[in-house]
Amino acid sequence: MTINIILFNSSLELTKNLGSKKLQHPVFVNDSKRRKNRKAGELLLDISIHYSGMSPDDRTNRGRPDIIHQIMLQYHFSLFNSEAFRKNTSFNPLRLFIHTNQDLVFEVSPEWRVPVSYIRFRGLMEKLLLEGSIEQPPVKVRNLSIEQLLKDKIKPESIILWTEIGEKKFSNELENEKDYLSTDKETVWLIGGYQSGDTPKRIESLVDKKLQIANFSLPSWKVLGNLLAYLEQDL
Amino acid sequence: MTINIILFNSSLELTKNLGSKKLQHPVFVNDSKRRKNRKAGELLLDISIHYSGMSPDDRTNRGRPDIIHQIMLQYHFSLFNSEAFRKNTSFNPLRLFIHTNQDLVFEVSPEWRVPVSYIRFRGLMEKLLLEGSIEQPPVKVRNLSIEQLLKDKIKPESIILWTEIGEKKFSNELENEKDYLSTDKETVWLIGGYQSGDTPKRIESLVDKKLQIANFSLPSWKVLGNLLAYLEQDL
């Protein structure tokens, strides 16, 4: 019945994960003051703001909440989530799960009016990570590995990984995937939520097919945006 | 040779355009302090930050620089602007012009590495509007109306307005538009850069065709994103 999109290993976390010693760096102290004295450990880690306080290792794949923001906007504004489409259908053809590099998972419901402003998004994510939930719409953060999310929650028939090293021809495959929009079977699309680097072997071992949009690296939101556009072409 | 995308009447401006009286509102004074004492009139007007200091009239269609940011990211990350595509072609199939509600125009070149972070984008746009130019890559802001941009600079064969009240079937039209990627003729795609409302009659009178992606309002970046995805499908 559904294409389940999972953004995996995304870097959405609070600054406290860096450890209290690093938080003494002026970049966190100053940002904390600028943010109306929000505690230095309770800021959303963002490499574009906190670069100088992050170690070279941290900088490779941490602090990119903008990726999650863009993915949530792509999902929110999909034609499948429009009022016009939803009033004529009884089911939800697309679901979106955000999985983080700390094995936290939350679902983005079609009702969630994702803030278009990054500054508002940041405040909302800080609240979600600090409190573990949002009331309106109900969003709850759970501790789940990708394996648990797949096996215990979604139980898909098929798992596709979208990656630059995947097979080139996706048009036929996408036609097959459209069947999931009208049957009661579940398919999963895995998209990496991190800045760069290979897909972890652990994830690769879970998938049935690897497909590409292009044979070079693209932002996660560009991959999802094009895939949604292709699905929407028939609407 | 080129599809010229114009985001028209977009709301990219400095807070000084509101007039000195409004700038005494605490929201501008506080934001100025938070921004390392950047002057209250030299901030990028952003409704998600400055809402309380804006009049109801200002709020309808001003202070949405996030729209311009998203459009520039869509363009920057188009497969047509990828290194892989560009090393095999001698021409630039897509150009992007940002036109503002103050009749300022600048071109976004494929070389421009648009910051993915909104916070960095904001600083860059403040510099561009204050100084009228950026050195690397060379970007220059000009005073041009839409009419001047079309007649004096681009001189297109055809002008399409993408609007929810346009004709529904765009697939055939898009096939025709692809011809512009391989001939020496110029076509223009107009996309509204404002939050909501009808296309001004002045703009409507300039266009040859009105086409729609959907018969309801969509964010400008979603319109451009889907159109680019459809063009990229054959690459």
Side-chain angles (χ1 to χ4, degrees):
Chain A
M1 205 101 173
T2 306
I3 296 176
N4 298 272
I5 303 149
I6 304 178
L7 188 76
F8 67 91
N9 289 11
S10 67
S11 58
L12 190 79
E13 57 183 322
L14 296 175
T15 41
K16 66 180 174 191
N17 286 356
L18 296 180
S20 56
K21 199 175 159 207
K22 281 186 190 163
L23 294 185
Q24 292 165 18
H25 190 285
V27 79
F28 300 111
V29 177
N30 292 337
D31 194 26
S32 162
K33 281 188 201 147
R34 213 161 38 221
R35 299 288 311 285
K36 295 185 187 163
N37 291 319
R38 181 177 280 273
K39 287 183 194 156
E42 298 185 349
L43 303 161
L44 196 65
L45 183 64
D46 183 334
I47 195 171
S48 75
I49 304 171
H50 305 132
Y51 184 86
S52 62
M54 294 167 73
S55 70
D57 213 39
D58 292 338
R59 288 172 190 161
T60 54
N61 271 322
R62 298 179 81 170
R64 289 295 309 275
D66 56 293
I67 297 176
I68 292 95
H69 186 213
Q70 294 283 8
I71 286 283
M72 286 172 66
L73 288 175
Q74 289 288 350
Y75 177 72
H76 177 65
F77 286 106
S78 166
L79 301 190
F80 287 104
N81 284 336
S82 66
E83 271 182 50
F85 179 82
R86 297 184 71 214
K87 75 178 177 199
N88 291 319
T89 46
S90 56
F91 69 103
N92 183 8
L94 299 176
R95 294 175 80 179
L96 172 63
F97 297 91
I98 305 294
H99 167 265
T100 80
N101 50 15
Q102 315 284 318
D103 272 351
L104 299 178
V105 171
F106 61 93
E107 181 172 358
V108 181
S109 77
E111 288 79 21
W112 192 347
R113 294 174 65 87
V114 178
V116 292
S117 152
Y118 173 71
I119 288 163
R120 284 175 188 265
F121 172 80
R122 177 175 62 178
L124 190 65
M125 288 300 111
E126 285 165 347
K127 181 180 156 67
L128 180 64
L129 290 172
L130 267 175
E131 300 177 7
S133 63
I134 295 176
E135 276 171 35
Q136 205 47 255
V139 180
K140 208 171 157 53
V141 180
R142 293 172 198 282
N143 272 292
L144 283 177
S145 66
I146 282 286
E147 289 85 347
Q148 289 171 318
L149 176 60
L150 291 171
K151 285 180 197 159
D152 301 343
K153 198 167 158 72
I154 303 175
K155 305 183 179 85
E157 298 272 320
S158 152
I159 302 175
I160 292 177
L161 172 67
W162 294 96
T163 164
E164 65 193 272
I165 60 157
E167 289 179 72
K168 194 159 184 185
K169 293 291 168 212
F170 67 84
S171 298
N172 293 341
E173 297 287 346
L174 215 52
E175 283 304 313
N176 295 337
E177 288 298 295
K178 284 181 188 168
D179 292 344
Y180 287 99
L181 300 177
S182 53
T183 66
D184 60 356
K185 292 175 182 168
E186 304 283 333
T187 186
V188 161
W189 289 359
L190 289 171
I191 299 175
Y194 43 92
Q195 182 176 325
S196 59
D198 296 340
T199 309
K201 288 275 170 280
R202 206 187 101 194
I203 303 279
E204 279 209 21
S205 70
L206 301 169
V207 311
D208 299 307
K209 276 178 209 159
K210 288 181 263 186
L211 299 174
Q212 63 160 252
I213 294 280
N215 62 354
F216 47 87
S217 177
L218 286 175
S220 318
W221 62 261
K222 174 67 177 165
V223 175
L224 181 58
N226 277 31
L227 290 173
L228 292 177
Y230 301 143
L231 288 181
E232 290 162 2
Q233 209 160 3
D234 302 332
L235 285 184
Chain B
M1 207 102 175
T2 307
I3 296 175
N4 298 272
I5 303 149
I6 303 177
L7 188 75
F8 66 90
N9 289 11
S10 67
S11 58
L12 190 79
E13 56 183 323
L14 296 175
T15 41
K16 66 181 174 190
N17 286 357
L18 296 179
S20 57
K21 199 175 159 206
K22 281 186 190 162
L23 294 185
Q24 292 166 18
H25 190 284
V27 79
F28 299 111
V29 177
N30 292 337
D31 194 27
S32 162
K33 281 188 200 148
R34 213 161 39 222
R35 298 289 310 286
K36 296 186 187 162
N37 291 320
R38 182 177 278 274
K39 287 182 194 156
E42 299 185 349
L43 303 160
L44 196 65
L45 183 64
D46 183 334
I47 195 171
S48 75
I49 304 170
H50 305 131
Y51 184 86
S52 61
M54 294 168 72
S55 70
D57 212 38
D58 292 337
R59 288 173 190 160
T60 53
N61 270 324
R62 298 178 82 169
R64 289 296 308 275
D66 56 293
I67 297 176
I68 292 95
H69 187 213
Q70 295 283 8
I71 285 283
M72 286 172 65
L73 288 175
Q74 288 289 349
Y75 177 72
H76 177 64
F77 286 106
S78 166
L79 301 191
F80 287 104
N81 285 335
S82 66
E83 272 181 50
F85 179 82
R86 297 184 71 213
K87 75 178 176 197
N88 291 319
T89 46
S90 56
F91 69 103
N92 182 8
L94 299 177
R95 294 175 79 179
L96 172 63
F97 297 91
I98 305 294
H99 167 264
T100 80
N101 51 15
Q102 315 283 318
D103 272 351
L104 299 178
V105 171
F106 61 93
E107 180 171 358
V108 181
S109 77
E111 288 78 21
W112 192 346
R113 295 174 65 88
V114 179
V116 293
S117 152
Y118 173 71
I119 289 163
R120 284 175 188 264
F121 171 81
R122 178 176 60 178
L124 190 64
M125 288 300 112
E126 285 166 347
K127 181 179 157 66
L128 180 63
L129 291 172
L130 266 175
E131 300 178 7
S133 62
I134 295 176
E135 275 171 37
Q136 205 46 256
V139 180
K140 208 171 157 52
V141 179
R142 295 173 197 281
N143 272 293
L144 283 178
S145 66
I146 282 287
E147 288 86 347
Q148 289 171 318
L149 176 60
L150 291 171
K151 285 181 198 160
D152 300 342
K153 199 168 158 70
I154 303 175
K155 305 183 179 85
E157 299 272 319
S158 150
I159 302 175
I160 292 177
L161 172 68
W162 294 96
T163 165
E164 65 192 273
I165 60 157
E167 288 179 72
K168 195 160 184 185
K169 293 290 167 213
F170 67 83
S171 298
N172 293 341
E173 297 286 346
L174 215 51
E175 283 305 312
N176 295 337
E177 288 298 296
K178 284 180 188 168
D179 292 344
Y180 287 99
L181 300 177
S182 53
T183 66
D184 60 356
K185 291 175 183 169
E186 303 284 332
T187 187
V188 160
W189 289 359
L190 289 170
I191 298 175
Y194 42 93
Q195 182 176 326
S196 59
D198 296 339
T199 309
K201 288 275 170 280
R202 205 187 102 194
I203 303 279
E204 279 209 20
S205 70
L206 301 169
V207 311
D208 299 307
K209 276 178 208 159
K210 289 180 263 185
L211 298 174
Q212 65 161 250
I213 293 280
N215 61 355
F216 46 87
S217 177
L218 286 175
S220 318
W221 61 262
K222 174 67 177 166
V223 175
L224 181 59
N226 277 31
L227 290 174
L228 292 177
Y230 300 144
L231 289 181
E232 290 162 1
Q233 210 160 3
D234 302 331
L235 286 184

